[in-house]
């Protein structure tokens, strides 16, 4: 045995020993999770017990990142712990999550990023169906897009909060990457047809103009449909879609990250029917309706300024011409359970036609 082989054997033996310790600790953690479920059912009852606590999981992930000493990056360590927690939670209570489909969409990636791959994620055709499934109890939580860095707020999602009585339980941010996919291995040669969605086109137009100005662009309903059409058409056809779609349909990625904005990202909301406790780094969302008059928005914002509360987002919804009312969707830092936020909410309540607290929840960790 050479000196190199001897050194490698020692290191591999050490890795095997560490792996055994990790395996033992993982099972210990899983058993502890099972005991947590037993205690919750004992005191809360099997139907009333709340197994998923967004604030607790956010705190755990922040602690993981804070104590990390490398060489693994903070977000990579947190991602590993996210999967460990997902597996353990599945032992307590299998989680059913509705998401805006189809399968292979970025929303599915967001759902898996937030809940881990042990959650059972189910696609639905519209945000309405996602909200309805959660409100009826068919799913524990729903995942819907709320804002894209390139295209702004998803207005339809905002309007769903007027119709459904659900709470925002969390948020997740996902970096958006589009790739060129094709069934054969011809790279970027001889591309004559490009299948993609309208949203994808708006986010990759400059790259496509500079690389494939003469290729026919065919708009389809989704990434999945783009992949199906590229497979069906064969030679010369490609799809612009996510890596998840490439994995689902075993397509070759011939060009990566073709987005016009390298920092393109989408924020998603987790909706459910539970109130979320304080995690220490939280955000609150409200929907307020005011009389449509000059200075109405200024008067609303004055309360936040007075109490030194930072706004993270505000969106105006169309005025109700019949009642002369306007609505505003507002995100701000802080949790509704804290004294200064409660003060602001009381002040807003006294001056608005309607104030709907949509939820307080942990700011996205990953």
């Amino acid at each position: 045995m050479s000196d190199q082989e001897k050194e490698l054997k020692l290191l591999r033996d050490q890795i095997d020993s560490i792996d055994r310790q990790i395996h033992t600790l993982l099972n210990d953690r899983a058993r502890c999770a099972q005991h947590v479920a037993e205690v919750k059912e004992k005191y809360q009852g099997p139907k009333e017990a709340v197994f998923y606590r967004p604030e607790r999981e956010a705190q755990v992930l922040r602690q993981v990142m804070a104590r990390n000493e490398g060489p693994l990056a903070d977000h990579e360590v947190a991602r590993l712990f996210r999967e460990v927690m997902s597996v353990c939670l599945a032992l307590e209570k299998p989680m059913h999550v509705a998401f805006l489909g189809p399968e292979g969409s970025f929303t599915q990636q967001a759902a898996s990023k937030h809940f881990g791959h042990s959650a059972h994620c189910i696609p639905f055709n519209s945000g309405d169906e996602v909200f309805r499934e959660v409100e009826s109890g068919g799913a524990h939580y729903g995942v819907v897009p709320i804002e894209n860095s390139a295209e702004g707020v998803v207005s339809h999602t905002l309007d769903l909060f007027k119709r459904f009585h659900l709470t925002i339980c969390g948020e997740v941010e996902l970096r958006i990457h589009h790739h060129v996919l094709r069934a054969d291995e011809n790279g970027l040669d001889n591309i004559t047809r490009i299948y993609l969605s309208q949203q994808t086109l708006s986010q990759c137009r400059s790259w496509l103009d500079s690389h494939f100005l003469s290729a026919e662009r065919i708009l389809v309903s989704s990434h999945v449909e783009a992949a199906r059409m590229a497979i069906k058409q064969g030679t010369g056809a490609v799809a612009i879609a996510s890596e998840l779609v490439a994995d689902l349909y075993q397509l070759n990625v011939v060009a990566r990250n073709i987005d016009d904005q390298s920092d393109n990202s989408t924020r998603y909301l987790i909706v459910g029917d539970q109130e979320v406790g304080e995690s220490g780094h939280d955000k609150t969302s409200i929907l307020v309706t005011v009389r449509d008059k000059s200075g109405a928005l200024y008067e609303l914002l004055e309360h936040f300024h007075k109490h030194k509360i930072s706004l993270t987002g505000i969106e105006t919804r169309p005025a109700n011409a019949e009642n002369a009312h306007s609505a505003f969707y507002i995100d701000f830092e802080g949790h509704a359970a804290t004294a200064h936020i409660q003060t602001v909410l009381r002040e807003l309540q006294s001056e608005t036609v309607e104030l709907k607290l949509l939820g307080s929840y942990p700011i996205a960790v990953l």
Side-chain angles (χ1 to χ4, degrees):
M1 184 181 293
S2 66
D3 290 343
Q4 175 181 311
E5 290 173 333
K6 290 178 182 178
E7 288 191 40
L8 288 175
K9 184 179 185 306
L10 287 174
L11 290 171
R12 287 165 181 159
D13 288 344
Q14 186 177 1
I15 288 173
D16 289 343
S17 176
I18 293 171
D19 284 347
R20 286 192 291 271
Q21 295 175 56
I22 293 173
H23 196 166
T24 298
L25 291 172
L26 285 172
N27 281 323
D28 287 345
R29 193 190 193 286
R31 278 188 286 269
C32 189
Q34 288 178 316
H35 293 326
V36 167
E38 292 169 1
V39 170
K40 288 180 177 179
E41 290 185 348
K42 176 181 177 181
Y43 290 98
Q44 301 174 27
K47 292 184 178 181
E48 300 298 327
V50 178
F51 296 94
Y52 174 62
R53 303 296 310 208
E55 70 276 24
R56 165 64 178 161
E57 296 207 353
Q59 289 167 347
V60 170
L61 292 176
R62 290 181 197 137
Q63 291 168 5
V64 165
M65 297 173 76
R67 68 170 178 257
N68 183 47
E69 297 179 353
L72 294 175
D74 290 353
H75 72 278
E76 290 294 346
V77 176
R79 184 176 59 81
L80 291 172
F81 271 81
R82 165 71 275 174
E83 290 301 326
V84 171
M85 289 191 289
S86 178
V87 172
C88 291
L89 181 61
L91 289 175
E92 294 184 53
K93 177 79 171 182
M95 196 64 59
H96 291 80
V97 179
F99 69 90
L100 179 60
E103 185 180 16
S105 67
F106 285 118
T107 311
Q108 182 179 7
Q109 289 184 235
S112 294
K113 180 180 180 182
H114 188 82
F115 290 99
H117 288 80
S118 292
H120 182 46
C121 296
I122 312 148
F124 286 85
N125 294 325
S126 68
D128 303 59
E129 292 182 16
V130 171
F131 271 64
R132 191 174 295 109
E133 184 71 6
V134 177
E135 191 170 71
S136 69
H140 297 101
Y141 300 95
V143 182
V144 288
I146 187 63
E147 183 179 12
N148 178 264
S149 59
E151 299 182 353
V153 170
V154 182
S155 299
H156 180 66
T157 298
L158 293 182
D159 294 336
L160 290 174
F161 286 106
K162 298 178 183 177
R163 296 168 45 201
F164 295 91
H165 300 288
L166 293 180
T167 301
I168 302 174
C169 301
E171 65 174 7
V172 56
E173 295 179 353
L174 185 71
R175 186 62 61 88
I176 302 299
H177 294 301
H178 292 92
H179 314 298
V180 181
L181 314 179
R182 67 187 304 172
D184 56 42
E185 298 181 356
N186 291 330
L188 297 176
D189 297 331
N190 303 318
I191 294 176
T192 58
R193 292 181 302 281
I194 300 173
Y195 293 92
L196 73 173
S197 69
Q198 178 61 59
Q199 185 180 44
T200 300
L201 175 60
S202 68
Q203 296 177 14
C204 305
R205 189 186 299 274
S206 295
W207 190 94
L208 291 170
D209 287 347
S210 63
H211 289 78
F212 300 109
L213 188 58
S214 61
E216 182 182 7
R217 300 173 188 178
I218 304 169
L219 296 180
V220 294
S221 61
S222 67
H223 285 184
V224 169
E225 184 62 20
R228 289 172 179 164
M229 291 303 298
I231 294 170
K232 180 179 179 180
Q233 294 300 319
T235 305
V238 299
I240 310 298
S242 66
E243 194 156 14
L244 178 57
V245 170
D247 292 339
L248 285 172
Y249 289 90
Q250 297 298 296
L251 292 170
N252 297 301
V253 180
V254 296
R256 292 183 176 275
N257 303 340
I258 68 169
D259 309 271
D260 295 335
Q261 292 184 214
S262 59
D263 60 348
N264 185 19
S265 63
T266 299
R267 175 174 165 248
Y268 298 83
L269 295 179
I270 313 301
V271 295
D273 62 355
Q274 73 181 90
E275 292 186 7
V276 178
E278 296 179 66
S279 74
H281 193 202
D282 301 296
K283 181 185 292 185
T284 295
S285 297
I286 60 174
L287 185 64
V288 294
T289 303
V290 298
R291 290 179 179 82
D292 197 10
K293 64 176 183 178
S294 177
L297 179 58
Y298 175 82
E299 292 177 0
L300 280 180
L301 299 183
E302 220 178 8
H303 296 286
F304 294 98
H305 175 71
K306 181 174 64 175
H307 294 282
K308 296 181 173 58
I309 296 172
S310 297
L311 299 183
T312 58
I314 182 167
E315 184 72 14
T316 304
R317 305 308 304 131
N320 186 325
E322 182 180 346
N323 297 321
H325 293 164
S326 294
F328 300 96
Y329 173 90
I330 303 174
D331 292 332
F332 54 91
E333 294 181 358
H335 195 283
T338 59
H340 69 298
I341 299 296
Q342 288 182 353
T343 298
V344 172
L345 293 177
R346 283 195 298 269
E347 292 177 1
L348 292 173
Q349 183 78 57
S350 66
E351 295 186 10
T352 61
V353 175
E354 181 183 6
L355 185 148
K356 186 174 184 180
L357 176 62
L358 302 182
S360 293
Y361 48 94
I363 292 174
V365 179
L366 292 176

